[in-house]
Structure formats: structure tokens, C-alpha cells
């Protein structure tokens, strides 16, 4: 294992070095939060794929394949489908808005009446996403070094917080690009073919496993519907995803690069399910399905290759964790703290360099909070379910309604957020956190409230809608920063 350890250590040191390099580039708020809005198609595609394909998609995707066979691909497939829908239908408009957060978009569309409440909901979602990603370090570092759970979380979390705090989105973008390459080599090019060969090929897999393992719908129609509702629609509105859209150099880059990344996700989904199916043949009696990835890596791969594949799993977790962390800090600072401070100081803005420093401080604070919560939190699935239920139930309707329906009003959006959020929380208490009904009924309540209240209230001011249309057309907002080209952007 010495060679494997060396591969992992070199990888982790490299992440910190990239964070230090990114600090030198992050000279403005735009640099720090959205990489200066300069990414070309190559870097945009790679980093977008990295942020959406985290530990749940890698370790969890293989685990679902182990448990359900090829239909275990549906969770990650739903993520890829959401990214494709976002890229094809919405990313160009989102990119042209020239904002930093989803709540700023709601302010522009509705005249500043729904921002802070939506910010609180989005902050809760991104915080829980960062926490659940950070907890995944415990599993990986336990396989690598046999570390105590708490120490593993602190080690992995500290590295992510360090490079994210130093360089912001520039550091995260560069590390995500490295992580995308490592993930592609480790999972798609090495682990996938080796797992199939170890299992004896597809013919042996079909002979040794029940036929439902090869049924595309074997996981169940209701489960597939829930995956699409939560993950596909979650991709359309999450701050962590939108913040990557904001990094695109042009709206064409956002559409094309996102489409490439979404397609990559579909391939990754199938690969994870096949690896899990192969693991079921090789290790039919594992104690838990989520152990399939670590087990097949540890027992089936040669020295050196094993280290690279484990680095791929680590990179998957780190990319999601860092993306969620900067999204959480951005929302906390720009949508919550700055509004409260503005109410006290009369809305005076600081200098751009001060904003960089302020956002850096918020990443550090949120990072420490995420590590602390991850240490004490045990049930990751419940935390992530709460986060996605609140996101979809509370924010999907007002966000998509604002983009698609001009009659939607600020009062309707605000009522929709409150009704959807409260309904989801109440129904989770009634049915149970892991039940499907809360997000179903919460979303319906949000939609009905949005439509009824919007139609019952005065239409959005014409001047607000006119300014909104100008921004959607790319004729408003801050002009892109002009800077020297960045290598390897495509």
C-alpha cells in the first residue's frame, strides 16, 4: 500500500498547491466567486461534471448498482438529465443575468420581495450538502489509512476549506478540473473494465445474477419518479450549480459545455451501475451495498492503480464539498449578512478587495461550521433528504415561474416559498423524513399558492419587468472582466 499512499499524499498536496496559486488570481469579487466569468468550454465542462458527480454519485452509485443492478444508474442518470435540461433550456438566460446568487435573480425578477427568505432556504440546502459531502471523507480515509472517523473528517475538510478559502472559485475550478481528469481515468478507464473482467464478463454476470439486475426499471417506477423530481429538478435551481453557470465566458459556453457535462454524467451513471453489478458477482455477501466501491477497489486492483482509483473517489467527494462550501458561503454573505448589514448601514457597499476578504472569511467560517456539524451528525441520508426537499418544495416553483411566466408576482413567489417550505417540513414530520409524500405534496402546495396569489395580486411593476428583460437579453448588469487568457480553457 505504500505506493497507493504516496499517490494519495501527492494528490492532496497538489490540491493545496493549486489553492495557493488560485489565491494570486482572485483579485476581485468576480474572480473569487465566479472565476471572473472567464471559463471556456473545456474547463467549464470538466468543472461542471466534477461538481455534480460527488461521493454520492461515485460510492452511492456503485452501491445502488450492487443492490439493484443496472437500474441503480437512475439516481446519477437523473442528475445528468437535470444538467442537460438546465444547459439546453435555461443556462444561457442564467448566464446573461450577471448575478452571483439565485436570490439575486429572484430580486431582479420580482422587485426585491423574495430574496432574503429564499436566501435562508438556499443556505440551509447548501450547508447540508456540504456537510454530507464532508462526512464521506470518513469512509474514504478509513479505507486508505484506517483513520478514526472524526480525524478523517477534520483532515479532508481542512484541505477543502484551505484551498477554497485561499483562492475561492479560481482554486475550486482548477482543483475540480484535476479531479475531473482523475475521476475519468480512475473510474471509467480503469475500474470499469477491470471490474467487468474480474466478474467474468457480461455473460457470467447475467448467468450468476437474477434477471431483475438487468431490467432498466428494476429499481421501481416510484423510486425513479422521486429521483427525477428531487435530483433532476434540484439541478435546475441549486446555488452550487448556478454558481458554476455564472463562471461561463459566454452564454454559448454555458449551453454547450453544460450539455457535454450532462452527457458525461449519463455515461458515469451507467458505469457506476455496471461496476456495482460486477461487485455483486465478485462479493455477493457484503454487509452494506455502499461498501461495494471500497471493497472492489481494495481487493481487485493492483498497487498504484488502487491508489489512483481511491484518489478518484476522494476527488469526487472533494469537488462536491468545495462547490457546496463556496455556494453556502456566498449565500450567507451576499444574500443574508449583506442584506442585514445594509439595513443597518443604509446599503453602503465596500471596496471590491474588501468584498474578496469578506467572502474569504465567510468560506472559512462556514467551513469550520461544516466540519463541526459533520463530526456530530450521524444520519447522512436524512440530512440530504431534508436539504433537497426544502430546495425543491420551497424554491423550484418561484424560480422556474419567474423564468417562464411573466404574470408571476413577488407576493406569489414569497407565498410559494413559505407555503412550500412549511408544507415540506410539516409533512416530513407527519410521514417521516425519508417518505416521498412530503416533496410531492409540498411542491403541489407551492405551485397552487404561486398561481393563486400571483393572479390575485397586482402584476409586477412594468419597470421591473423591463429591467428583467434587459438582463435576460444580456444588455444589463456588470460587463465581463477583461483579463489575460487562462490556459487550457478550450
Amino acid at each position: 500500500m505504500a505506493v497507493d499512499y504516496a499517490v494519495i499524499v501527492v494528490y492532496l498536496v497538489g490540491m493545496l498547491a493549486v489553492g495557493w496559486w488560485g489565491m494570486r488570481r482572485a483579485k476581485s469579487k468576480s474572480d473569487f466567486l465566479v472565476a471572473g466569468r472567464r471559463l471556456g468550454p473545456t474547463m467549464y465542462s470538466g468543472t461542471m461534471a466534477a461538481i455534480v458527480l460527488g461521493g454520492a454519485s461515485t460510492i452511492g452509485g456503485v452501491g445502488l448498482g450492487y443492490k439493484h443492478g443496472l437500474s441503480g444508474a437512475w439516481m446519477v442518470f437523473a442528475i445528468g438529465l437535470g444538467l442537460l435540461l438546465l444547459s439546453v433550456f435555461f443556462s444561457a438566460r442564467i448566464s446573461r443575468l450577471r448575478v452571483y446568487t439565485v436570490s439575486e435573480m429572484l430580486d431582479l425578477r420580482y422587485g426585491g420581495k423574495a430574496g432574503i427568505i429564499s436566501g435562508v432556504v438556499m443556505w440551509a440546502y447548501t450547508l447540508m450538502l456540504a456537510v454530507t459531502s464532508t462526512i464521506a471523507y470518513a469512509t474514504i480515509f478509513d479505507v486508505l489509512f484506517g483513520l478514526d472517523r472524526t480525524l478523517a473528517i477534520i483532515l479532508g475538510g481542512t484541505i477543502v476549506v484551505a484551498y477554497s478559502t485561499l483562492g475561492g472559485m479560481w482554486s475550486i475550478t482548477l482543483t475540480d478540473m484535476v479531479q475531473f481528469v482523475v475521476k475519468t481515468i480512475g473510474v471509467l478507464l480503469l475500474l470499469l473494465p477491470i471490474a467487468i473482467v474480474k466478474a467474468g464478463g457480461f455473460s457470467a454476470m447475467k448467468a450468476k445474477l437474477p434477471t431483475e439486475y438487468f431490467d432498466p426499471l428494476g429499481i421501481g417506477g416510484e423510486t425513479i419518479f422521486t429521483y427525477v423530481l428531487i435530483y433532476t429538478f434540484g439541478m435546475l435551481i441549486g446555488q452550487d450549480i448556478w454558481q458554476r453557470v455564472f463562471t461561463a465566458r459566454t452564454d454559448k459556453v454555458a449551453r454547450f459545455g453544460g450539455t457535454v457535462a450532462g452527457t458525461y454524467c449519463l455515461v458515469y451513471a451507467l458505469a457506476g451501475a455496471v461496476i456495482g453489478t460486477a461487485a455483486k458477482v465478485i462479493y455477493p455477501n457484503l454487509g452494506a451495498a455502499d461498501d461495494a466501491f471500497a471493497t472492489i477497489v481494495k481487493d481487485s486492483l493492483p498497487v498504484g492503480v488502487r491508489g489512483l482509483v481511491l484518489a478518484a473517489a476522494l476527488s469526487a467527494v472533494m469537488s462536491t464539498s468545495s462547490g457546496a462550501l463556496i455556494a453556502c458561503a456566498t449565500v450567507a454573505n451576499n444574500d443574508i449578512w449583506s442584506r442585514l448589514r445594509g439595513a443597518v448601514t443604509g446599503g453602503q457597499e465596500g471596496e471590491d478587495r474588501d468584498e474578496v476578504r469578506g467572502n474569504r472569511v465567510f468560506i472559512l467560517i462556514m467551513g469550520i461550521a461544516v466540519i463541526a456539524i459533520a463530526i456530530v451528525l450521524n444520519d447522512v441520508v436524512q440530512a440530504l433528504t431534508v436539504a433537497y426537499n426544502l430546495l425543491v418544495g420551497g424554491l423550484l416553483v418561484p424560480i422556474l415561474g419567474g423564468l417562464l411566466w411573466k404574470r408571476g408576482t413577488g407576493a406569489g413567489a414569497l407565498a410559494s416559498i413559505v407555503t412550500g417550505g412549511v408544507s415540506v417540513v410539516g409533512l416530513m414530520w407527519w410521514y417521516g423524513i425519508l417518505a416521498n409524500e412530503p416533496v410531492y405534496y409540498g411542491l403541489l402546495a407551492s405551485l397552487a399558492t404561486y398561481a393563486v396569489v400571483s393572479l390575485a395580486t397586482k402584476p409586477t411593476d412594468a419597470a421591473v419587468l423591463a429591467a428583467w428583460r434587459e438582463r435576460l437579453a444580456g444588455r444589463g448588469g456588470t460587463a465581463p472582466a477583461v483579463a489575460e487568457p487562462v490556459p487550457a480553457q478550450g
Side-chain angles (χ1 to χ4, degrees), residues 121-141:
V121 174
M122 190 63 76
W123 174 78
Y125 157 73
T126 53
L127 179 69
M128 284 297 99
L129 184 61
V131 167
T132 53
S133 300
T134 302
I135 290 174
Y137 296 128
T139 301
I140 298 173
F141 281 110

Side-chain angles (χ1 to χ4, degrees), residues 8 13 80 176-177 196 295 299 336 360 377 413 445-446 453 487:
I8 299 296
V13 172
D176 277 359
M177 195 62 197
I196 294 172
T295 302
D299 295 347
I336 300 175
R360 185 172 280 135
L377 190 65
S446 177
V453 175

Side-chain angles (χ1 to χ4, degrees), residues 214-274:
F214 302 92
D215 181 357
L217 304 179
I219 199 170
E222 184 178 355
T223 299
I224 293 171
F225 179 76
T226 302
Y227 283 158
V228 171
L229 187 63
I230 293 178
Y231 295 112
T232 299
F233 286 115
M235 288 295 106
L236 298 180
I237 59 176
Q239 170 66 27
D240 51 323
I241 309 303
W242 278 41
Q243 199 156 343
R244 294 309 174 100
V245 176
F246 300 150
T247 66
R249 188 165 57 208
T250 65
D251 56 354
K252 293 181 180 179
V253 168
R255 181 184 286 115
F256 173 78
T259 302
V260 172
T263 304
Y264 177 91
C265 291
L266 302 184
V267 175
Y268 200 88
L270 183 59
V274 171

Side-chain angles (χ1 to χ4, degrees), residues 101-123:
T101 67
V102 174
S103 293
E104 288 181 28
M105 167 264 170
L106 292 173
D107 277 350
L108 283 171
R109 170 60 180 81
Y110 297 113
K113 296 181 179 178
I116 192 165
I117 292 181
S118 65
V120 170
V121 174
M122 190 63 76
W123 174 78

Side-chain angles (χ1 to χ4, degrees), residues 273-303:
V274 171
I275 292 168
T277 305
K280 182 66 175 179
V281 173
I282 304 169
Y283 312 102
N285 299 310
L286 291 179
D290 282 346
D291 293 338
F293 180 87
T295 302
I296 196 169
V297 169
K298 193 172 183 180
D299 295 347
S300 299
L301 300 184
V303 173

Side-chain angles (χ1 to χ4, degrees), residues 142-454:
D142 176 56
V143 173
L144 289 174
F145 308 115
L147 291 181
D148 172 74
R149 177 182 184 275
T150 298
L151 183 59
I153 290 172
I154 292 173
L155 175 60
T158 299
I159 292 171
V160 170
V161 172
Y163 73 70
S164 301
T165 302
L166 287 172
M169 187 59 83
W170 266 124
S171 292
I172 292 171
T173 295
L174 295 169
T175 54
D176 277 359
M177 195 62 197
V178 174
Q179 289 157 2
F180 169 75
V181 172
V182 171
K183 201 170 352 186
T184 300
I185 295 173
V187 175
L188 297 185
L189 301 183
L190 294 178
L191 183 58
L192 176 61
I194 290 174
I196 294 172
V197 171
K198 287 281 186 178
F202 282 106
S203 58
M205 292 162 63
K206 287 184 177 181
K208 295 178 181 179
L209 294 174
T211 56
E212 55 264 27
Y213 264 70
F214 302 92
D215 181 357
L217 304 179
I219 199 170
E222 184 178 355
T223 299
I224 293 171
F225 179 76
T226 302
Y227 283 158
V228 171
L229 187 63
I230 293 178
Y231 295 112
T232 299
F233 286 115
M235 288 295 106
L236 298 180
I237 59 176
Q239 170 66 27
D240 51 323
I241 309 303
W242 278 41
Q243 199 156 343
R244 294 309 174 100
V245 176
F246 300 150
T247 66
R249 188 165 57 208
T250 65
D251 56 354
K252 293 181 180 179
V253 168
R255 181 184 286 115
F256 173 78
T259 302
V260 172
T263 304
Y264 177 91
C265 291
L266 302 184
V267 175
Y268 200 88
L270 183 59
V274 171
I275 292 168
T277 305
K280 182 66 175 179
V281 173
I282 304 169
Y283 312 102
N285 299 310
L286 291 179
D290 282 346
D291 293 338
F293 180 87
T295 302
I296 196 169
V297 169
K298 193 172 183 180
D299 295 347
S300 299
L301 300 184
V303 173
V305 174
R306 180 170 50 206
L308 182 60
V309 174
L310 286 172
L314 186 59
S315 70
V317 176
M318 294 178 79
S319 58
T320 299
S321 181
S322 59
L325 176 59
I326 193 171
C328 176
T330 301
V331 171
N333 188 18
N334 291 266
D335 292 337
I336 300 175
W337 170 246
S338 65
R339 293 170 193 263
L340 297 175
R341 183 183 60 187
V344 175
T345 64
Q348 295 179 352
E349 298 288 338
E351 295 296 324
D352 208 29
R353 284 186 179 275
D354 292 334
E355 291 190 44
V356 172
R357 187 179 302 114
N359 281 292
R360 185 172 280 135
V361 168
F362 264 85
I363 289 181
L364 180 60
I365 293 172
M366 290 297 105
I368 293 172
V370 163
I371 292 172
I373 295 171
I375 290 172
V376 301
L377 190 65
N378 290 319
D379 200 321
V380 180
V381 175
Q382 288 193 5
L384 195 59
T385 301
V386 171
Y388 269 101
N389 282 354
L390 281 173
L391 176 70
V392 175
L395 293 180
L396 178 66
V397 170
I399 292 173
L400 294 189
L403 290 169
L404 300 173
W405 190 40
K406 68 178 182 180
R407 186 60 182 83
T409 67
L414 186 59
S416 175
I417 294 170
V418 173
T419 301
V422 171
S423 297
V424 164
V425 172
L427 290 167
M428 283 191 294
W429 176 81
W430 181 260
Y431 285 103
I433 290 178
L434 299 180
N436 293 327
E437 288 85 356
V439 71
Y440 296 166
Y441 299 145
L443 189 56
L444 288 174
S446 177
L447 177 60
T449 302
Y450 180 73
V452 170
V453 175
S454 291

